[in-house]
Amino acid sequence: MRTDVRRTHNAVTTTSSAAAAAVLAGITTVRNLGILAHVDAGKTTVTERILFLAGETHKRGEVHDGTTVTDCHPQERERGITIFAAAVSCLWDGHRINLIDTPGHVDFADEVERSLRVLDGAVAVFDAVAGVEPQSESVWRQADRHGVPRIAFVNKMDRAGADLDAAVASIRERLHPVPLAVQLPVGREGDFTGVVDLLTMRALTWDDGPGRDGLREGPVPEELRAEAEHRRRRLDETVAGLHPAALEEYYEHTALSTATLATALRDLTHSGEAVVVLCGSAYRNRGVEPLLAAVTAYLPSPLDVPAVRGSAMGAEGSEGAEGAAGAEVERAADPAGPLTALVFKVNVTASGRLTYLRLYTGTLRKGDTVLDATTGRTERIARILRVQADSHTETDSAVAGDIVAVVGVKAARTGATLCAPGARLVLEPPVTADPVVTVAVEARRSIDTDRLAVALARLAEEDPSLVVRTDPETGQRVLSGLGELHLEVAVEKIRRDHNGLEVVVGRPQVAHRETVERGVTGHVHRHVKQDGGAGQFAQVVIDVAPLDGPVGAQEGGGFVFASTVTGGRVPKEYVQAVEAGCRDALAEGPLGGHPVTGLRVTLTDGATHSKDSSDLAFRTAGRTALRDAMRACRMVLLEPVVEVTVTVPQEAVGGVLGDLAARRGRVQGSDPHGATAAVTAVVPLAELFGYATALRSRTQGRGTFTTRPAGYAPAPVAAR
């Protein structure tokens, strides 16, 4: 359950000083939110209009002009897309809004994941013509996993073909919450001038002036009055069916008051049962003020979200102040509590290192010494910065609920927990996606080899989804990431940030996996080692079988271990060692040394020695047993596949279908939209290298496509 702000606030004021109560009251006015959407839905433009209306900028930034605040990296301005999540802050109607503009391209989904880990709410932006697009659905599911409340903003209402009702229907059908449209558009497509607020039953219209005073409020136009009243009745009925308090009032009065409706909308947003839907045109500065009002009215403050949970860790595993080491501990957003903060982003430059934090509890001051609970290393906070994308304002302190950057932290990585030295707590880090595309990189000049190693290490430190390793056979450095564009941006960043460093890049290769198609039972392995002194002895009997479900359905990490040993033939502590050994064996499969996924291992029997058995012996036995068993299994090589949505003119559909089939694609459907059609197919990722150029050539530059991961599928026999 989400905490009630007033109840929490009253409880604290009765037990805290007046100063602490004032700080806590200030936290209720904080909103930590992200802007989520499919690429080109208008996230960055929405962010720019918010900053402009809040007075943080004096001119409206435009993506096409390269003048935006959040798309501050040169590559973002050149490509016209958001690549790196950017944090900004502004004040609106007495509220501090900490906002993160997230990327919309699938290759940078890990940036979205790290941002959602520290956010309390989000605004999901949808194109009024396209509705819910593939990446919109992906980021929505990411927000579902983190339990982040959302409101929806249907953007680009001034475009030809814009339809609020169709966009709302796509939200209902593809995302499955109950969409609650609280506005009615005034005008259609190019004549879109404003909205009718169904709560207040007032019309809000805007002119096209360049300033901040273009909003006009007035009565509902006569031609829209009947429609507005009809939609308000439907809104009341829907909300009453979802909210018990609203239902009582509706039964008594057959309508809801504005106050009751607003409270119900807030509660339904926090619970995730429904999503409030607003509309507008951010580019023309229409509908942004009501969006900001909805953010402050419906999205939660840090006090509204559940207390953060982590694992307590006493000194060297001893009993901690809050319980035994490893016990789950909750900490509420209390500025007087022990410091707990999560590192969600690291930016390493030649001039220094910026570490981005979300404070969950406690107060952080300049000069404080904090503990990296993940590594046990202490760090000193030299400076605390309020972040405005690539510019910063220094502050002396930050409290629970704040999102800030700090200078002075030298080693904390993304996902690390910074806490008070006397109250060690480890928070769950953001999940990092497995890389699926790999390229070999090397310096063109041998004298630059060390510089390239430093550059690659810096990249991996900033972006955990980039993995750098050395190929044991060729000795080449290999860079792995989430897609072709992801790696292209990373390599270009090396060239720009390290003047004179010339890099040679190999052809992209996909990251394969291996899985079991047919397993083995009763595989026996005995590990005996005697070389003087204490020996090693362990005997295990294992069964190996594929996991339930289609081959390759597990996305990169499917493994289940079980034990059916009875009679104490293998003690419990050794069973855990066998499991650890089996997990070690998953790193390299028998077909080509690729990671193994999608299998179930069962320990059925074993034997021990009174003196020579140990954790090490059984871990070694488990690793070797599984490696040998997999050689006896029928193994299958898996390759990553993606769901591709190609939008092309109707006359080009036939050619696109044939091209997808030639790329081993499985077409799932074709959805016509006027003069265009959206073709959906599942295609091996390896077949999409260079597809953007081929599609432009086939459609005279009018075709576009988007992708999202769809797991793994068996590779063709020739590739095995």
Side-chain angles (χ1 to χ4, degrees):
M1 292 293 290
R2 303 232 171 224
T3 308
D4 182 78
V5 175
R6 290 164 294 182
R7 183 171 63 248
T8 305
H9 178 58
N10 291 338
V12 173
T13 53
T14 59
T15 59
S16 306
S17 66
V23 173
L24 195 59
I27 296 176
T28 66
T29 64
V30 172
R31 299 292 183 272
N32 294 318
L33 69 137
I35 307 294
L36 312 174
H38 185 88
V39 65
D40 202 33
K43 300 179 305 302
T44 301
T45 303
V46 169
T47 304
E48 291 298 318
R49 296 306 182 263
I50 289 174
L51 294 176
F52 176 71
L53 290 172
E56 292 294 331
T57 58
H58 302 292
K59 182 181 179 182
R60 295 183 293 187
E62 304 294 354
V63 173
H64 55 271
D65 291 335
T67 57
T68 58
V69 171
T70 52
D71 285 356
C72 53
H73 194 276
Q75 287 200 72
E76 294 179 310
R77 293 180 172 176
E78 290 172 6
R79 298 174 186 270
I81 61 171
T82 300
I83 296 173
F84 309 105
V88 293
S89 182
C90 64
L91 296 174
W92 176 264
D93 193 26
H95 292 74
R96 172 169 291 282
I97 298 176
N98 297 320
L99 190 153
I100 298 180
D101 180 22
T102 65
H105 197 285
V106 65
D107 280 17
F108 309 105
D110 218 50
E111 290 273 345
V112 182
E113 184 73 18
R114 293 194 293 273
S115 299
L116 284 170
R117 176 65 180 80
V118 299
L119 293 174
D120 300 325
V123 174
V125 180
F126 301 96
D127 188 308
V129 178
V132 176
E133 298 174 270
Q135 190 60 13
S136 307
E137 190 171 351
S138 296
V139 296
W140 189 275
R141 302 301 174 215
Q142 285 179 282
D144 280 343
R145 290 198 302 272
H146 290 280
V148 175
R150 281 139 282 170
I151 58 177
F153 181 69
V154 179
N155 192 26
K156 303 186 180 183
M157 288 295 297
D158 57 332
R159 282 186 60 193
D163 189 334
L164 175 62
D165 291 337
V168 169
S170 70
I171 292 173
R172 180 185 298 108
E173 293 164 5
R174 299 192 62 175
L175 305 181
H176 308 302
V178 178
L180 302 173
V182 297
Q183 293 176 340
L184 170 67
V186 176
R188 290 181 58 84
E189 300 179 346
D191 296 327
F192 173 75
T193 58
V195 297
V196 173
D197 185 339
L198 297 181
L199 273 74
T200 62
M201 294 302 287
R202 299 283 289 174
L204 307 174
T205 58
W206 289 264
D207 58 35
D208 284 324
R212 300 183 180 90
D213 56 353
L215 173 61
R216 304 286 182 268
E217 183 176 348
V220 178
E222 194 60 37
E223 64 273 16
L224 292 177
R225 181 171 296 278
E227 178 67 13
E229 290 174 349
H230 171 66
R231 290 184 180 238
R232 172 57 189 266
R233 286 194 298 273
R234 287 198 319 187
L235 179 63
D236 286 351
E237 292 171 1
T238 305
V239 170
L242 297 171
H243 193 276
L247 182 61
E248 291 182 12
E249 182 173 316
Y250 187 79
Y251 274 149
E252 186 174 350
H253 302 289
T254 67
L256 299 180
S257 66
T258 300
T260 299
L261 181 56
T263 300
L265 291 174
R266 182 177 184 274
D267 292 343
L268 293 171
T269 299
H270 288 199
S271 68
E273 294 180 69
V275 57
V276 172
V277 182
L278 302 97
C279 64
S281 170
Y283 178 71
R284 296 177 68 179
N285 211 34
R286 296 176 179 178
V288 182
E289 292 96 333
L291 174 63
L292 281 166
V295 164
T296 59
Y298 305 133
L299 290 181
S301 76
L303 292 179
D304 294 324
V305 299
V308 67
R309 295 181 178 181
S311 298
M313 299 186 68
E316 297 182 357
S318 64
E319 186 86 4
E322 296 169 284
E328 186 175 77
V329 173
E330 289 189 355
R331 288 183 183 170
D334 182 1
L339 175 70
T340 309
L342 184 71
V343 177
F344 70 93
K345 184 178 177 67
V346 173
N347 188 12
V348 184
T349 66
S351 58
R353 188 180 195 268
L354 277 181
T355 304
Y356 291 77
L357 307 176
R358 161 66 193 268
L359 272 71
Y360 286 98
T361 184
T363 300
L364 182 68
R365 296 179 178 85
K366 186 168 65 173
D368 281 355
T369 297
V370 299
L371 177 72
D372 182 345
T374 311
T375 63
R377 177 189 175 110
T378 57
E379 303 273 10
R380 184 178 178 275
I381 306 300
R383 299 164 63 201
I384 303 174
L385 306 173
R386 298 278 181 192
V387 183
Q388 203 72 355
D390 60 344
S391 62
H392 315 95
T393 303
E394 192 163 348
T395 183
D396 290 332
S397 64
V399 300
D402 276 340
I403 292 178
V404 295
V406 296
V407 177
V409 176
K410 293 181 173 59
R413 306 294 293 265
T414 300
T417 304
L418 300 184
C419 59
R424 185 172 175 179
L425 187 75
V426 176
L427 303 179
E428 182 183 354
V431 176
T432 301
D434 291 331
V436 293
V437 181
T438 298
V439 293
V441 292
E442 60 184 25
R444 185 177 296 277
R445 300 177 300 180
S446 59
I447 60 174
D448 289 333
T449 300
D450 291 341
R451 290 182 64 198
L452 176 61
V454 171
L456 290 171
R458 182 180 293 179
L459 272 180
E461 186 175 1
E462 290 186 337
D463 186 352
S465 60
L466 288 170
V467 177
V468 181
R469 63 179 179 86
T470 300
D471 190 296
E473 295 182 2
T474 64
Q476 287 181 307
R477 285 191 176 88
V478 176
L479 180 64
S480 302
L482 302 183
E484 195 175 6
L485 180 60
H486 189 205
L487 295 180
E488 184 181 325
V489 167
V491 172
E492 183 62 24
K493 194 170 189 296
I494 292 176
R495 292 177 175 140
R496 289 173 183 263
D497 294 351
H498 302 267
N499 293 332
L501 179 56
E502 298 182 27
V503 181
V504 179
V505 183
R507 288 174 56 86
Q509 302 289 330
V510 297
H512 289 88
R513 297 286 186 269
E514 298 178 26
T515 193
V516 173
E517 186 177 54
R518 188 179 66 196
V520 296
T521 59
H523 181 82
V524 181
H525 178 76
R526 174 178 290 202
H527 172 67
V528 180
K529 184 177 181 182
Q530 192 73 47
D531 53 4
Q536 294 184 24
F537 178 88
Q539 179 173 309
V540 296
V541 182
I542 61 173
D543 295 345
V544 181
L547 277 179
D548 297 334
V551 172
Q554 298 77 27
E555 198 170 326
F559 173 70
V560 173
F561 181 88
S563 173
T564 59
V565 177
T566 59
R569 293 178 61 80
V570 179
K572 185 176 181 180
E573 61 270 22
Y574 293 161
V575 172
Q576 295 174 347
V578 174
E579 179 180 359
C582 289
R583 291 187 181 276
D584 293 341
L586 298 178
E588 295 183 0
L591 295 181
H594 308 292
V596 181
T597 184
L599 75 162
R600 180 190 305 276
V601 176
T602 305
L603 178 64
T604 60
D605 201 355
T608 61
H609 187 277
S610 58
K611 293 183 179 180
D612 292 345
S613 291
S614 63
D615 281 352
L616 177 60
F618 272 91
R619 183 165 186 160
T620 303
R623 179 173 62 249
T624 308
L626 182 54
R627 285 177 177 171
D628 292 345
M630 286 191 295
R631 294 189 184 97
C633 294
R634 176 182 293 174
M635 302 293 292
V636 174
L637 186 68
L638 303 176
E639 61 179 349
V641 295
V642 294
E643 182 183 287
V644 183
T645 302
V646 188
T647 303
V648 294
Q650 287 281 6
E651 61 270 19
V653 169
V656 168
L657 291 173
D659 187 40
L660 290 174
R663 296 174 184 269
R664 298 191 284 125
R666 302 192 311 275
V667 176
Q668 296 181 319
S670 178
D671 187 12
H673 294 285
T676 64
V679 178
T680 304
V682 175
V683 185
L685 179 60
E687 299 290 347
L688 289 180
F689 295 147
Y691 183 59
T693 302
L695 181 63
R696 284 195 296 268
S697 174
R698 188 174 293 277
T699 61
Q700 290 78 48
R702 294 183 291 168
T704 61
F705 77 99
T706 58
T707 64
R708 63 172 176 172
Y712 287 81
V717 175
R720 302 181 188 179

